Amino acid sequence: MIKDSNANSNDNALKVAYRHGHDHDNDSGLINPTTATATSSEDADVSPSISSKLSGYFSKSKRNISASAIACGIVGAAAVAGITGAATRSSQIHMRKNAAVSLFDIDTASIFDAVVPRVKSKSGKSEPGTSTPIPATGYYSGYDTEDGSPQKVYVFCGVETCNITIEDSRFSTCEQVLGAGEFFGGVGVARDVPVDSLDDFSIELYCIEEFGGSINFTKSPSSILTGDMQVLPNGQLIRTGPGFFYTVQSFVNPKEDGTMIEVEAVDIDDVGYNINGEYNGVDMSDGSGEFFNIACTKEFCDIVLFDQGFTQECENSRGEAFYNGVAFAKDVPRTSLSSFEIDLYCIEFPDLVINSTAGPDLKIPFELELLPDSPEGVMRNPLTDNYYYRSSYKSGEYAGFDTSFSLYEDFNAIFNALDTEDSSIQALQIDCKEGFCDLSLIDSSFSSCKDGTSGNAYSYLGGIAVAKNVSQNSLHDFQLELFCVEDISSIGIIDYDVTPIILTGDLVFLEDGIIKRTGPGFNYFASSNLDLQTNEVSGLYSGARLHDGGQQRVNILCTPVVDDVDECDIIVWTAINYECIQDDTSRFIINGIAVAKGEPRDALDGFYIDLYCVSPEAGVEIDYEADIPVRSFHAEILTDDNGKVVSLSLDADTIPILKNTPVPYSN
């Protein structure tokens, strides 16, 4: 039986609170679960300190917006928890009619003060019962088990206080305002939470009042959520109120002793600073997820910006929930990252890809800056006051481990990219052993498959591209075979006996953790540790589902309960669960979640996990006591000889999975 190396006595009480009495907190931990609609301003219980800081959030403009930009607006697309295919809607980004004044103007310096490192015993483990502050700054991915939606928690901690932001693809309370099927309708915020009160605080949920609008922080919050969280030594976080757990995904805490590497007084335009990577954040104007990737030489940079859908800006688009446009900038001078423009291209109905020859539909002003005394890997756009956390692995002095690629070594990793042709998200999984490589490419919306895919109003997913037994020294010159789903609204099974569509593979390794497909010119950034060999089961995993082209996500939390017996909670999630598509009224995406609780760690090679479907009605959550699971899977979490998790099996359907977790906080 594998044991967590950093379990302490406090986990026992935490686990009891986590397992019992918190399974059905309405809307991610509502303190008042009986409130079915948005709370009126007269009835809201607003903390004066928070409301005063939120007031005027949109009262000041930090940029000039042209009339055409206002008419076009800006919204965003679907990178929910890294899933290529999780949909979003009604998410907007930079150019609002009223630009945002940062919530972090409150006291940025104190937020990013250095965090006290953990106390370690001679064995390298945390001392049981010892006060050992864990660096919490970063972002964490998890799942709302009440409605099956992906959820992210963004945390900024200084020595004394923390700021917390929650992004959810469909807050139940906000969905009641916007209607079923609308995504990213709000944001949860808590500001200036004392570090010694992280186990007892509230989060204010602000909802968008109408589709395409912005959050009005001058009004009272729509609901009050339970915060109450604890960051565990292994880099996971638990919100003990609703009982949700999350796994750290940002790479801003790279040292093994838990201390943060701080940014020195470096100008963002200094060519001596290697900024390359993928960065995630949340758009505070509407609560949508937002991220960008950047690949620079010392002369020029290529930048791709992705926000949940670009639906408002792209008014003449296909009318889908997302994948309506993409924004990118090429050959930006490396010395101009403090101020540049990104071109937004919309996909006009009925096209499937952008028309780059017609010119951009909108130019988005963009700025980046490094924050003094902040953890390395955190940046800010001062125009929008959105913060970004690096979610890809970085080579060099900050990495803390060897990420080098060698023709002579086995190699297994997942790389994420933004498709600048059709605005979708890609994940490339490479597994090289003894000189030969298997590759799988999944895309949230393969444009090449859409013409032949029927029964799908949204054209999500659509297929998978594979290459088998590619010589490891020929990764620069090979082909991928793309197989499409013929009818994704049914069971979504891919037929591998048909003639595939041929895609260009051709990978060039630009630097450790970054590769380029020279055919389409997409840059891919490592989202899994290239050199992480760990037998710790807890963490977030992902892998390609060969039968339908989706991405499987597995989140595992194992903690000791009684007499050091480890029990594990397991969440298995994918964007589209075909078992939950019963008819035209069913939710098509983010429509289900599979949950197993209290499984003994030494029994993970054979257990049952239940899949629950999400009601199509607005704001209705899963009732685990009354609802009947649509299916029970016999699951196996399989490990290699070293105890490293390598695959998930659901009813004998085996899916290779990799851990999407930065360097562990402990050995």
Side-chain angles (χ1 to χ4, degrees):
M1 180 175 67
I2 305 167
K3 292 179 63 64
D4 280 331
S5 60
N6 283 295
N8 59 51
S9 59
N10 293 331
D11 286 334
N12 295 338
L14 173 64
K15 195 65 175 180
V16 173
Y18 168 63
R19 288 197 191 285
H20 302 290
H22 299 291
D23 291 340
H24 306 290
D25 284 347
N26 185 40
D27 203 346
S28 308
L30 279 175
I31 289 178
N32 181 9
T34 61
T35 304
T37 58
T39 307
S40 68
S41 59
E42 292 81 9
D43 295 334
D45 180 14
V46 186
S47 168
S49 60
I50 296 179
S51 61
S52 62
K53 292 163 186 171
L54 294 175
S55 63
Y57 185 79
F58 286 102
S59 62
K60 299 179 182 178
S61 176
K62 287 196 172 183
R63 72 187 113 148
N64 295 322
I65 305 176
S66 67
S68 61
I70 293 175
C72 195
I74 289 205
V75 267
V80 280
I83 174 67
T84 63
T88 62
R89 182 165 181 166
S90 93
S91 41
Q92 308 175 0
I93 62 174
H94 309 292
M95 297 192 140
R96 308 297 180 197
K97 295 183 179 179
N98 300 295
V101 173
S102 176
L103 291 175
F104 303 99
D105 286 343
I106 299 168
D107 187 359
T108 303
S110 67
I111 294 170
F112 289 103
D113 283 342
V115 175
V116 180
R118 292 186 291 113
V119 178
K120 299 186 72 177
S121 67
K122 293 181 180 179
S123 66
K125 301 179 181 180
S126 298
E127 288 282 3
T130 303
S131 177
T132 56
I134 303 300
T137 295
Y139 89 87
Y140 302 75
S141 289
Y143 296 93
D144 182 335
T145 54
E146 294 166 355
D147 61 16
S149 61
Q151 191 174 94
K152 291 181 182 179
V153 178
Y154 300 83
V155 182
F156 299 85
C157 280
V159 173
E160 297 181 354
T161 62
C162 297
N163 285 1
I164 296 96
T165 304
I166 294 185
E167 167 203 326
D168 194 309
S169 59
R170 51 172 296 260
F171 280 113
S172 301
T173 295
C174 298
E175 189 179 64
Q176 292 171 8
V177 176
L178 296 172
E182 303 293 355
F183 297 94
F184 287 93
V187 65
V189 296
R191 297 294 177 254
D192 288 342
V193 179
V195 292
D196 58 357
S197 297
L198 289 177
D199 60 346
D200 185 15
F201 71 98
S202 297
I203 297 172
E204 296 184 345
L205 174 63
Y206 292 83
C207 296
I208 296 173
E209 297 179 354
E210 61 181 359
F211 174 68
S214 298
I215 298 172
N216 186 350
F217 287 100
T218 64
K219 292 187 176 181
S220 298
S222 304
S223 291
I224 305 296
L225 314 182
T226 303
D228 299 6
M229 71 183 196
Q230 180 174 349
V231 180
L232 303 180
N234 69 351
Q236 290 184 297
L237 178 152
I238 296 176
R239 284 179 58 209
T240 56
F244 304 157
F245 68 90
Y246 312 80
T247 300
V248 64
Q249 294 291 277
S250 55
F251 190 64
V252 299
N253 298 322
K255 282 190 175 181
E256 290 185 357
D257 64 359
T259 58
M260 292 192 183
I261 298 175
E262 296 182 0
V263 176
E264 298 178 356
V266 177
D267 190 312
I268 194 73
D269 293 329
D270 187 343
V271 297
Y273 179 71
N274 185 349
I275 197 175
N276 291 342
E278 180 183 74
Y279 295 81
N280 278 251
V282 59
D283 182 351
M284 292 301 297
S285 65
D286 68 356
S288 62
E290 177 177 295
F291 64 94
F292 70 93
N293 62 40
I294 180 169
C296 295
T297 67
K298 290 187 176 180
E299 292 293 330
F300 299 104
C301 301
D302 287 350
I303 302 158
V304 183
L305 174 68
F306 192 79
D307 197 314
Q308 316 291 347
F310 289 124
T311 50
Q312 183 178 356
E313 292 68 21
C314 299
E315 295 177 337
N316 297 318
S317 67
R318 296 168 294 168
E320 299 186 3
F322 62 106
Y323 309 139
N324 293 301
V326 63
F328 56 85
K330 294 184 178 295
D331 296 329
V332 176
R334 175 61 186 85
T335 56
S336 299
L337 292 181
S338 59
S339 182
F340 59 98
E341 289 185 334
I342 297 181
D343 295 334
L344 170 62
Y345 293 84
C346 297
I347 301 178
E348 303 292 335
F349 180 83
D351 296 337
L352 300 175
V353 296
I354 65 170
N355 182 4
S356 58
T357 61
D361 294 86
L362 185 67
K363 288 185 175 292
I364 304 172
F366 208 83
E367 296 182 3
L368 291 173
E369 67 178 7
L370 300 173
L371 301 170
D373 301 321
S374 73
E376 199 281 331
V378 178
M379 291 189 297
R380 176 192 179 206
N381 180 351
L383 293 179
T384 60
D385 293 305
N386 294 336
Y387 284 65
Y388 305 97
Y389 317 75
R390 186 172 57 243
S391 56
S392 60
Y393 296 97
K394 183 174 181 179
S395 61
E397 61 179 305
Y398 298 115
F401 58 88
D402 181 16
T403 60
S404 57
F405 171 79
S406 171
L407 290 174
Y408 303 98
E409 299 293 336
D410 291 348
F411 174 68
N412 192 1
I414 296 176
F415 297 80
N416 293 331
L418 303 177
D419 186 332
T420 55
E421 296 175 352
D422 64 9
S423 77
S424 58
I425 311 164
Q426 292 190 348
L428 176 66
Q429 187 165 338
I430 307 174
D431 185 9
C432 296
K433 293 179 180 178
E434 299 182 356
F436 291 91
C437 305
D438 291 341
L439 301 94
S440 60
L441 177 66
I442 55 180
D443 192 312
S444 54
S445 185
F446 268 119
S447 55
S448 299
C449 286
K450 290 177 182 175
D451 285 332
T453 301
S454 63
N456 177 14
Y458 299 101
S459 300
Y460 299 143
L461 303 181
I464 187 171
V466 295
K468 300 291 184 181
N469 296 319
V470 178
S471 175
Q472 196 161 348
N473 64 358
S474 298
L475 290 176
H476 65 287
D477 183 16
F478 72 100
Q479 293 180 330
L480 289 158
E481 296 182 337
L482 172 61
F483 296 89
C484 299
V485 175
E486 294 184 0
D487 186 356
I488 200 170
S489 65
S490 60
I491 196 62
I493 298 298
I494 293 175
D495 183 359
Y496 286 94
D497 292 330
V498 301
T499 302
I501 300 170
I502 302 301
L503 305 180
T504 302
D506 299 6
L507 304 179
V508 174
F509 288 75
L510 300 180
E511 66 176 72
D512 297 339
I514 304 177
I515 59 178
K516 178 186 285 289
R517 273 181 66 209
T518 57
F522 302 160
N523 292 324
Y524 295 77
F525 298 82
S527 66
S528 58
N529 194 323
L530 305 186
D531 195 50
L532 179 59
Q533 300 293 329
T534 176
N535 60 6
E536 182 176 346
V537 175
S538 295
L540 182 64
Y541 300 81
S542 65
R545 292 158 51 108
L546 296 177
H547 65 280
D548 65 5
Q551 188 179 58
Q552 192 73 69
R553 306 280 286 182
V554 184
N555 209 6
I556 305 173
L557 173 65
C558 297
T559 57
V561 180
V562 179
D563 297 330
D564 289 334
V565 175
D566 289 1
E567 289 187 356
C568 303
D569 290 349
I570 304 102
I571 293 175
V572 175
W573 188 92
T574 190
I576 301 175
N577 294 279
Y578 299 102
E579 295 87 348
C580 295
I581 304 175
Q582 306 295 329
D583 51 45
D584 292 341
T585 66
S586 301
R587 288 183 186 265
F588 184 75
I589 53 175
I590 312 183
N591 59 357
I593 189 168
V595 179
K597 286 192 173 184
E599 298 293 337
R601 172 175 282 192
D602 57 6
L604 293 184
D605 57 352
F607 63 99
Y608 285 90
I609 187 167
D610 295 330
L611 172 63
Y612 290 85
C613 297
V614 180
S615 169
E617 298 181 28
V620 176
E621 298 175 340
I622 299 170
D623 185 341
Y624 288 93
E625 295 179 356
D627 293 349
I628 299 174
V630 67
R631 182 173 177 181
S632 290
F633 293 93
H634 181 264
E636 299 176 64
I637 295 175
L638 306 177
T639 60
D640 60 15
D641 293 338
N642 297 319
K644 179 182 177 181
V645 173
V646 294
S647 64
L648 166 72
S649 177
L650 296 174
D651 287 347
D653 180 15
T654 301
I655 305 165
I657 56 176
L658 281 176
K659 199 168 195 175
N660 295 110
T661 304
V663 177
Y665 290 102
S666 57
N667 293 322

